[in-house]
């Protein structure tokens, strides 16, 4: 790689924020979890400012929407395993879809645990950082930002392989009659 920049802990957000704002052609985000927050994390006694985002995750999600609006091809691939028991990504997926961003879910038989971003033809971020408040704002995380056409192509090829078994992300609605023994039946999908 021509350039590898460690982006650990609190350096992840500014590096990815800047990279998303700089994208000109395409962005692919593959994440286990993207969790937006309803309100900002504030210190004791601190008050939120008018219009203050719910957190750094919210800013990154809005960066994706802004990129889409300026003509960048944006795809987000999220985890949604077979049992549909984990609705962690539902809110973010619905928000992105409502703003025109393509949101996919990986193969239902496979847990997506990857955490990477591929931007344009030469930039990749890969590491341990989920897009969650705890990961971005207080966790110990280790990621890197790699500027390399060769590394970028490897991850683009990996994304193409993921998309072969992917489908549009759909929120699954469970009713009160669903029991563990009935879980073998196909879940109801909200359209």
């Amino acid at each position: 790689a021509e350039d590898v920049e460690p982006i650990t802990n609190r350096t992840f957000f500014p590096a990815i924020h800047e990279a998303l704002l700089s994208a000109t052609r395409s962005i692919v985000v593959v994440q286990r979890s993207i969790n937006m927050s309803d309100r900002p994390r504030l210190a004791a006694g601190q008050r939120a400012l008018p219009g203050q985002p719910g957190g750094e995750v919210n800013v990154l999600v809005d960066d994706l929407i802004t990129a889409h609006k300026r003509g960048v091809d944006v795809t987000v691939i999220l985890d949604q395993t077979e049992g549909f028991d984990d609705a962690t990504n539902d809110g973010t997926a619905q928000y992105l879809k409502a703003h025109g961003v393509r949101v996919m879910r990986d193969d239902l038989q496979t847990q997506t645990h990857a955490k990477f971003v591929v931007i344009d033809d030469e930039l990749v971020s890969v590491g341990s950082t989920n897009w969650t408040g705890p990961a971005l704002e207080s966790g110990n995380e280790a990621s890197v930002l790699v500027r390399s056409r060769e590394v970028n192509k490897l991850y683009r090829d990996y994304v193409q392989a993921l998309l072969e078994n992917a489908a549009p992300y759909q929120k699954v609605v469970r009713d009160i009659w669903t029991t563990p023994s009935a879980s073998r039946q196909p879940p109801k999908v909200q359209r």
Side-chain angles (χ1 to χ4, degrees):
E2 296 94 41
D3 184 18
V4 178
E5 174 187 347
I7 49 173
T8 59
N9 296 339
R10 280 4 98 218
T11 63
F12 182 88
F13 168 75
I16 297 304
H17 176 58
E18 181 179 328
L20 295 175
L21 294 177
S22 301
T24 58
R25 289 180 301 287
S26 63
I27 299 170
V28 178
V29 177
V30 179
Q31 276 287 321
R32 163 63 184 100
S33 299
I34 301 181
N35 305 122
M36 297 175 66
S37 179
D38 293 342
R39 55 185 172 272
R41 293 175 57 171
L42 302 170
Q46 188 180 16
R47 299 181 71 145
L49 299 171
Q52 184 173 352
E56 293 175 347
V57 175
N58 296 40
V59 174
L60 295 178
V61 169
D62 284 336
D63 288 346
L64 297 173
I65 293 166
T66 300
H68 168 73
K69 287 180 180 178
R70 69 174 188 270
V72 175
D73 180 21
V74 179
T75 300
V76 176
I77 302 172
L78 297 170
D79 181 60
Q80 188 175 49
T81 51
E82 184 177 23
F84 290 99
D85 294 329
D86 188 356
T88 314
N89 292 319
D90 281 358
T92 302
Q94 298 307 317
Y95 181 76
L96 286 165
K97 287 170 53 174
H99 288 88
V101 173
R102 179 182 182 208
V103 182
M104 305 294 286
R105 58 113 177 112
D106 199 359
D107 182 354
L108 293 177
Q109 303 299 317
T110 305
Q111 180 192 31
T112 301
H113 201 259
K115 300 154 187 82
F116 67 89
V117 182
V118 181
I119 299 174
D120 294 334
D121 294 328
E122 64 180 39
L123 193 61
V124 175
S125 166
V126 63
S128 69
T129 312
N130 279 308
W131 287 18
T132 64
L136 293 180
E137 298 170 17
S138 62
N140 283 326
E141 303 292 342
S143 296
V144 292
L145 194 59
V146 181
R147 293 180 198 286
S148 165
R149 288 187 177 277
E150 293 80 15
V151 172
N152 182 287
K153 182 175 180 342
L154 290 170
Y155 278 93
R156 284 192 174 285
D157 291 348
Y158 179 63
V159 166
Q160 289 308 311
L162 289 178
L163 289 173
E164 287 178 16
N165 295 314
Y169 189 100
Q170 296 178 326
K171 181 177 179 179
V172 175
V173 180
R174 292 199 175 274
D175 61 39
I176 61 171
W177 307 109
T178 302
T179 64
S181 63
S183 66
R184 293 256 186 255
Q185 298 174 1
K188 295 179 181 179
V189 177
Q190 182 180 10
R191 303 221 187 260

